[in-house]
Amino acid sequence: NGTVAIDAPKGLLKLSCDDSPEAQASITSNLYYPYIPGEGNFIIFSLALSDEGKEGNTRRWGLFDDNNGLYFENKDGIFSINVRSSTSGTPVDRKYLRNELNGDRLDNPNTSRFILQQSKMNLYWIDYQWLGVGKVRFGMIAPDGKRVVLHTVENANSFNVPYMQSGTLPIRIENINNALTSGVSEIKLVCAAVMRQSDNLEYRGPVFTHNADPEQDVDSTTWKH
């Protein structure tokens, strides 16, 4: 009971779930965007949710797969920032709730650059070093075009293993029900891009597929670098 459909008149991709338990809609890029040692990656999304969140529904967007990654989340109406790692042998999500963010939480009319409304179109960004212990920043673009940092994750001098297994990851958008909800839930995606923070030559490495459930074959002739 989930759908992924192009809304051509509005210029967006809509991931929808009805109110039924276990409804799902998701997309994952076939390309795992390469991490180059010593360089940073920057990812940016323009998207909106259909509401500010609801009980029984989880929506995620970022650079991640089943085992590792970096993403924003609205779960049961609660906004958070997450780092996923499988270095322990199983996937573990390190979650930072909105009241735990160490940057601008975008919730104070007196001190915040603006007040975040997740049901409005916004630009979300993540930049990160990997190197096993690099820094990760999650943020947004303010209406005036300036970057706002919501949270910085400092991994150096904190763990005895890398903070996640790899910095080479796909774009993923998820919309998942785990209970009966109060109505339709949507993610409306306009654009997503991954950029390398370097002037080096274009990376020419291999393209990898993600593991889907159920697993689906992908014709290698349709892959794009």
Side-chain angles (χ1 to χ4, degrees):
N1 295 316
T3 60
V4 178
I6 295 172
D7 188 336
K10 295 182 175 65
L12 54 83
L13 189 68
K14 188 181 295 183
L15 289 77
S16 303
C17 287
D18 67 11
D19 61 356
S20 61
E22 301 181 0
Q24 297 186 31
S26 67
I27 56 171
T28 305
S29 63
N30 290 320
L31 179 64
Y32 273 59
Y33 292 88
Y35 159 78
I36 307 299
E39 298 179 2
N41 279 2
F42 175 82
I43 179 171
I44 189 165
F45 293 88
S46 49
L47 59 78
L49 310 186
S50 56
D51 49 66
E52 298 298 318
K54 55 170 68 74
E55 289 284 340
N57 174 261
T58 300
R59 281 165 275 188
R60 301 184 180 105
W61 55 101
L63 202 69
F64 68 105
D65 62 12
D66 291 343
N67 297 308
N68 299 279
L70 312 164
Y71 61 88
F72 298 91
E73 178 183 86
N74 184 308
K75 182 175 182 178
D76 299 323
I78 298 172
F79 179 78
S80 65
I81 280 166
N82 296 261
V83 178
R84 176 175 291 174
S85 175
S86 292
T87 54
S88 66
T90 57
V92 176
D93 293 340
R94 227 183 327 150
K95 187 183 298 293
Y96 301 90
L97 300 177
R98 195 164 182 177
N99 61 2
E100 299 171 328
L101 303 184
N102 55 26
D104 190 338
R105 299 170 185 171
L106 302 181
D107 61 357
N108 188 319
N110 297 315
T111 60
S112 293
R113 183 67 64 84
F114 67 102
I115 302 301
L116 171 60
Q117 298 182 71
Q118 295 172 76
S119 59
K120 305 294 185 184
M121 283 289 170
N122 276 295
L123 288 160
Y124 297 82
W125 60 265
I126 303 168
D127 65 4
Y128 68 98
Q129 304 166 312
W130 186 63
L131 295 171
V133 295
K135 182 171 68 174
V136 184
R137 298 191 304 172
F138 295 80
M140 301 191 67
I141 304 295
D144 62 5
K146 295 180 180 178
R147 286 197 203 182
V148 179
V149 177
L150 278 68
H151 190 71
T152 302
V153 182
E154 296 179 350
N155 295 296
N157 203 42
S158 298
F159 308 104
N160 57 10
V161 295
Y163 72 89
M164 60 183 181
Q165 290 173 324
S166 173
T168 299
L169 294 161
I171 291 175
R172 178 176 286 185
I173 314 287
E174 291 183 341
N175 187 0
I176 301 170
N177 286 351
N178 50 40
L180 184 69
T181 69
S182 59
V184 174
S185 305
E186 296 175 342
I187 300 180
K188 296 175 283 187
L189 173 68
V190 178
C191 190
V194 180
M195 293 163 276
R196 249 194 359 262
Q197 296 173 315
S198 168
D199 294 327
N200 288 344
L201 296 175
E202 181 181 353
Y203 179 77
R204 294 290 185 178
V207 178
F208 301 93
T209 61
H210 71 281
N211 291 323
D213 186 16
E215 188 166 344
Q216 298 178 1
D217 292 332
V218 178
D219 182 354
S220 62
T221 62
T222 64
W223 291 348
K224 303 294 183 184
H225 282 281

